[in-house]
Amino acid sequence: MTSPTQLPALVAAGAARQAAVDMPPLDAWLFRHQSGGAICMTAAVLAWFEGSPPTLYELRARVRQRWSVHERLRLTAVETPAWPQWVPGPQWDPAHHVAAHDTSPAALETLAAQLLAHPLGPARPPWQLHLLPAEGGFALFLLSHHALLDGVSLVTLLRSLLDAPAAVPRPRSPGGAAHPVPSRLDRVRAVLDVLPRARPLPFHGPVDARRAVSWSRVPVSELSTARDALASGRASANAVFLAAAAGALRTAGLTGRVSRLPGVCAMVPVDVRDGSGPVVLGNHYATVRVPLPAGGGPRQRLASVDGFTRRAALKQRAQAQARLVASRPQRHGRFDALLGRYADSPLFSSLLCTSAASYAGQLTLGPARFTALAGLPPLSPGHPLAMSMLLHDETAVVTVVTDHGHRHLAARLPGLIREEIDALRG
């Protein structure tokens, strides 16, 4: 028989079960990688500030004030036999999610790597914010299980903490019109996008549980000059980053000297939000594979990448994929398991390369000025290397994340990417 003291807990548990909702397909895909062991699906952004840091009390108070409106940050994940679910909980306590560290600013890369590799437990909503020492000021490190938030969501949340000359729009909760039914052309593209197209590279293999992180800052003025390297027209910042990544892999001896099929392919996440309103939190992206040329010089590589990205219409292609994913029945079977193992293999993509730009303009946290932003993507099975480039105001930050067994690549590749960008400017 149930005792009176057990009734509140049972009522609360019943209410939670009633409020639980099935995860969208992309959330479920990322959740089932699990934040544990070697495959720790934690994504993060690191923001640098010049000036005096807030106290931990002040930071927690600001987080409570600015983020309490976001229902997404109250969700915890629950695995069920049929399909994983999101369960909304009570309002979170900043003391459980916001922490400060008293370490040397010189240890920032090491501490970021340690936090990125630390699995986020299932007892609370899987996100954290850390206040870290940094040269000339401090840094904020915002991380989340990728099933909860994508990179755009992380940047949006960080921005909403800051002060700007104009009001920063708040993200809204998911909702609105359903995805339209995919067309026949959309389905054809989806079939083509799961065919083997990538070359396994020497670093592919099991991913260990530790992480290594390294970054390099590039003035946006230099990046802008590199974008003008083509006689055919101004290249995108994303094309410069991808071409520079291709050149860095070649210089490091990771792509081979002889061109052969399949080639090196970068898996490039593309935001599929419609851009008509405030940014929606959650996972709203799809990936497009972009061939990374192994031969030629820096400008030839840029011309190849820029030409492909223009022809492929990355945004439209990604939106078509997102519609197909959202329209699939929410159940798992043998085909799903087989596809999951395949899509994680190096035959699907050689590495992850992601780039984005944040709010363009001056932002502050109290008296401190926001100066630069880095993205730290997770590592997926068989892929112990990922690269990113994030732009804010006058600075771009190129970041490389590897597992500990490939830490020599984390130390070397940001410099090689910078050299490729410099070569485009010459």
Side-chain angles (χ1 to χ4, degrees):
M1 181 179 293
T2 302
S3 69
T5 58
Q6 292 175 307
L7 285 175
L10 291 174
V11 171
R17 283 194 296 272
Q18 291 177 2
V21 296
D22 287 348
M23 289 185 183
L26 184 53
D27 292 6
W29 172 275
L30 295 164
F31 171 73
R32 287 195 154 162
H33 280 81
Q34 297 298 335
S35 272
I39 303 305
C40 179
M41 292 300 293
T42 301
V45 291
L46 178 67
W48 283 269
F49 295 82
E50 290 180 351
S52 301
T55 65
L56 181 58
Y57 175 82
E58 291 170 338
L59 181 60
R60 285 175 173 170
R62 181 175 285 238
V63 168
R64 180 187 290 110
Q65 178 190 21
R66 302 283 181 96
W67 290 0
S68 292
V69 298
H70 302 309
E71 295 183 3
R72 184 83 181 177
L73 298 185
R74 297 193 294 112
L75 299 180
T76 56
V78 174
E79 178 67 277
T80 70
W83 192 264
Q85 294 182 322
W86 287 122
V87 179
Q91 188 56 256
W92 38 267
D93 185 350
H96 294 149
H97 293 270
V98 184
H101 301 258
D102 185 15
T103 59
S104 167
L108 183 58
E109 285 185 351
T110 300
L111 182 55
Q114 291 172 351
L115 293 172
L116 189 67
H118 184 69
L120 299 171
R124 298 187 180 97
W127 62 270
Q128 296 175 352
L129 179 68
H130 297 265
L131 176 62
L132 311 177
E135 295 290 343
F138 64 96
L140 290 181
F141 192 61
L142 174 60
L143 65 161
S144 165
H145 194 299
H146 204 330
L148 184 72
L149 300 172
D150 61 11
V152 172
S153 300
L154 290 170
V155 173
T156 297
L157 280 173
L158 179 68
R159 279 180 46 195
S160 70
L161 277 184
L162 308 181
D163 303 312
V168 177
R170 289 182 174 178
R172 54 187 170 85
S173 300
H179 289 287
V181 177
S183 68
R184 180 174 298 179
L185 178 59
D186 292 337
R187 297 183 185 279
V188 171
R189 284 175 172 168
V191 170
L192 294 176
D193 283 337
V194 299
L195 295 178
R197 286 179 52 192
R199 178 192 313 175
L201 300 178
F203 52 76
H204 285 127
V207 177
D208 64 48
R210 298 168 66 187
R211 298 291 178 265
V213 176
S214 184
W215 49 69
S216 176
R217 296 194 186 193
V218 181
V220 167
S221 58
E222 296 183 7
L223 185 66
S224 180
T225 304
R227 294 176 61 187
D228 290 328
L230 299 180
S232 58
R234 186 171 171 84
S236 67
N238 183 49
V240 170
F241 167 61
L242 293 173
L249 292 173
R250 175 188 170 92
T251 302
L254 299 174
T255 60
R257 298 293 178 180
V258 179
S259 177
R260 63 187 186 277
L261 295 176
V264 179
C265 281
M267 182 167 61
V268 179
V270 179
D271 182 33
V272 296
R273 296 167 176 86
D274 60 17
S276 61
V279 175
V280 179
L281 298 185
N283 283 291
H284 300 277
Y285 73 94
T287 56
V288 178
R289 288 178 297 185
V290 177
L292 299 184
R299 296 192 180 192
Q300 290 173 294
R301 286 190 285 271
L302 178 58
S304 175
V305 172
D306 186 64
F308 176 85
T309 56
R310 291 177 187 275
R311 293 192 307 274
L314 299 189
K315 183 81 169 183
Q316 293 87 334
R317 194 181 188 107
Q319 288 173 333
Q321 291 184 32
R323 289 195 295 270
L324 285 170
V325 170
S327 68
R328 295 186 62 237
Q330 295 192 359
R331 62 175 181 270
H332 289 288
R334 293 181 179 179
F335 176 75
D336 292 315
L338 178 63
L339 181 61
R341 286 194 294 270
Y342 166 70
D344 287 331
S345 79
L347 292 174
F348 184 79
S349 65
S350 303
L351 78 162
L352 173 71
C353 289
T354 179
S355 69
S358 76
Y359 179 90
Q362 293 292 323
L363 296 172
T364 61
L365 182 63
R369 186 172 68 92
F370 175 29
T371 59
L373 182 67
L376 289 78
L379 302 179
S380 59
H383 289 80
L385 168 66
M387 302 182 186
S388 74
M389 184 180 75
L390 289 188
L391 287 74
H392 170 72
D393 203 14
E394 298 299 322
T395 304
V397 180
V398 173
T399 307
V400 175
V401 178
T402 70
D403 70 349
H404 196 255
H406 297 83
R407 58 192 180 279
H408 62 287
L409 296 179
R412 188 181 181 197
L413 286 172
L416 294 179
I417 291 175
R418 179 66 185 272
E419 290 177 8
E420 286 289 315
I421 294 174
D422 288 343
L424 288 170
R425 297 171 58 230

